[in-house]
Amino acid sequence: MTHPFLDLAPLGADRFAAIEDRVARLLSTEQDVVIMQGEALLPLEGAIRAAAGAGTTALNVVTGPYGQTFGDWLRDCGATVIDLAVPFHTAVTAEEIRQAFAEHPEIDFVSLVHAEAATGNTNPVAEIGEVVRAHGALFYLDAVASIGAEPVLPDAWGVDLCVIGAQKAMGGPAGVSAVSVSERAWARMAANPKAPRRSYLSLLDWKDRWVDGGRKALLHAPAQLEMLALEACVERIEAAGLDAVMARHASAAAATRAGAVALGGGLEPYVYEARDAAPVATTLRTPSGVVASELVRRALEADPAVPLAAGGGPLAKEMIRVNHYGADATPGAVRASLAALGVALSEQGLSVDVEAALRALEEAWR
């Protein structure tokens, strides 16, 4: 038996490099971009283990669960870690970063998540980047959830290590990911005796054998189907225009937030201020006495196709996520989500106004 996915010609180095170039254009970066053959946790962990070590003092910003994970990795590398934790319903500010530098001038590494899809907040990276650059620290950014939903500009923002994944707002595959690397970051890795080498985690292997080799020979057999899916995903964004894709996500977020407020039933935006809310996903707080995971279960029974999920861990009791990213950043997906939540809240004996929610959606969509 043959299958078109199984009978493709092997993906060569030239095609792989061309896909990297297109990802670099998506980021408007002149830095080296390396596409790694795994989900975004691969470059996220690889970049920290390559750039941080026993001599590192890291400011680790925690605005959600991924920030907590980065702190664990940094400590495991032997770094001294200063956690700057802010409530998950808000965002960190550039002034808070500046104050951390004033209190700990020895900080030479900053780790930050741009948008936390898990908590629905987004951080002002452009403003933070100015502060980090003025201090001279290496800047590591997780832009996995934000790319495609809002601007991600590593060069303009002074980001030294910027990790992206295609599975959220880009609407692409989860099996490959990418990281842009500045010259400063490469130098920091090269000077780190504990940086992974001869390892799947190793960025320096990609530097030595791929980037410095003129991108002529791949380190290992590429994840061919995922690479082709990434190429198709970038082509689709290029055809629509990145600005249009980001505008669609911004409209989905604004419409979801407005519709949830108008729906009633005690639902409230989990992120207090709209300016701090991520365009990739909207999080909602359930009314007292209503368990979020149970509400989501009932909503999915009403419409199994809606992009709803309960928060992770302890947040499953109080948080609902409307994952309006990629193919679900549409009026139809938001409309269906609000309607399904209306059904679930009504079953709990709460008063809702689905028609008002849908009107608010239409008014908020741009």
Side-chain angles (χ1 to χ4, degrees):
M1 178 181 291
T2 61
H3 192 285
F5 288 154
L6 301 179
D7 299 325
L8 296 169
L11 187 74
D14 288 349
R15 183 83 169 271
F16 193 106
I19 298 171
E20 281 186 340
D21 290 340
R22 295 174 84 163
V23 172
R25 288 195 293 273
L26 191 68
L27 292 169
S28 299
T29 185
E30 297 297 323
Q31 298 179 5
D32 291 324
V33 169
V34 175
I35 296 177
M36 298 191 76
Q37 305 297 280
E39 198 268 340
L41 282 172
L42 174 63
L44 286 169
E45 181 175 358
I48 280 182
R49 295 195 180 277
T56 301
T57 300
L59 176 63
N60 180 51
V61 182
V62 181
T63 58
Y66 279 99
Q68 294 170 331
T69 297
F70 300 160
D72 292 339
W73 287 340
L74 287 161
R75 291 181 181 90
D76 191 50
C77 290
T80 298
V81 181
I82 299 158
D83 284 323
L84 173 55
V86 302
F88 290 178
H89 60 253
T90 186
V92 73
T93 67
E95 183 53 39
E96 288 173 306
I97 302 293
R98 186 178 290 108
Q99 183 61 35
F101 281 134
E103 295 174 3
H104 302 278
E106 69 275 19
I107 292 168
D108 61 359
F109 185 97
V110 175
S111 51
L112 175 71
V113 179
H114 187 184
E116 287 266 14
T119 50
N121 55 30
T122 192
N123 292 301
V125 183
E127 298 169 20
I128 291 168
E130 290 183 12
V131 178
V132 175
R133 186 164 52 241
H135 188 79
L138 203 75
F139 193 8
Y140 162 99
L141 183 69
D142 171 355
V144 174
S146 53
I147 183 67
E150 54 188 307
V152 177
L153 302 167
D155 291 12
W157 296 345
V159 178
D160 296 288
L161 291 158
C162 182
V163 177
I164 66 168
Q167 68 267 32
K168 289 189 167 66
M170 288 177 66
V176 289
S177 47
V179 54
S180 66
V181 187
S182 73
E183 288 300 323
R184 290 200 322 146
W186 284 131
R188 178 77 71 94
M189 295 179 203
N192 180 8
K194 296 295 186 180
R197 291 279 197 170
R198 296 171 297 281
S199 163
Y200 206 61
L201 282 171
S202 178
L203 278 167
L204 286 174
D205 287 356
W206 282 96
K207 167 71 168 168
D208 294 345
R209 297 168 56 190
W210 173 247
V211 177
D212 291 348
R215 299 192 298 177
K216 300 298 184 184
L218 290 161
L219 274 65
H220 43 70
Q224 174 147 318
L225 297 183
E226 288 83 358
M227 287 296 295
L228 295 174
L230 176 61
E231 181 181 50
C233 154
V234 174
E235 284 180 353
R236 187 166 56 188
I237 292 172
E238 290 170 346
L242 179 58
D243 287 345
V245 175
M246 292 190 295
R248 182 162 52 84
H249 284 83
S251 288
T256 302
R257 190 179 183 91
V261 172
L263 179 65
L267 280 185
E268 297 177 351
Y270 187 84
V271 177
Y272 291 173
E273 301 293 337
R275 67 173 181 272
D276 297 333
V280 70
T282 296
T283 48
L284 303 171
R285 191 184 303 274
T286 55
S288 176
V290 176
V291 177
S293 57
E294 178 62 18
L295 197 67
V296 167
R297 185 186 67 79
R298 290 174 177 270
L300 290 173
E301 287 176 354
D303 186 348
V306 294
L308 296 176
L315 294 176
K317 294 182 179 180
E318 64 178 4
M319 179 196 286
I320 293 171
R321 294 202 325 263
V322 185
N323 295 317
H324 45 65
Y325 53 70
D328 287 321
T330 63
V334 175
R335 188 179 298 113
S337 297
L338 293 171
L341 286 172
V343 170
L345 287 165
S346 295
E347 290 179 355
Q348 294 281 320
L350 298 167
S351 177
V352 297
D353 189 339
V354 174
E355 291 303 317
L358 299 183
R359 287 195 301 271
L361 180 162
E362 299 299 334
E363 291 171 3
W365 197 278
R366 294 289 180 263

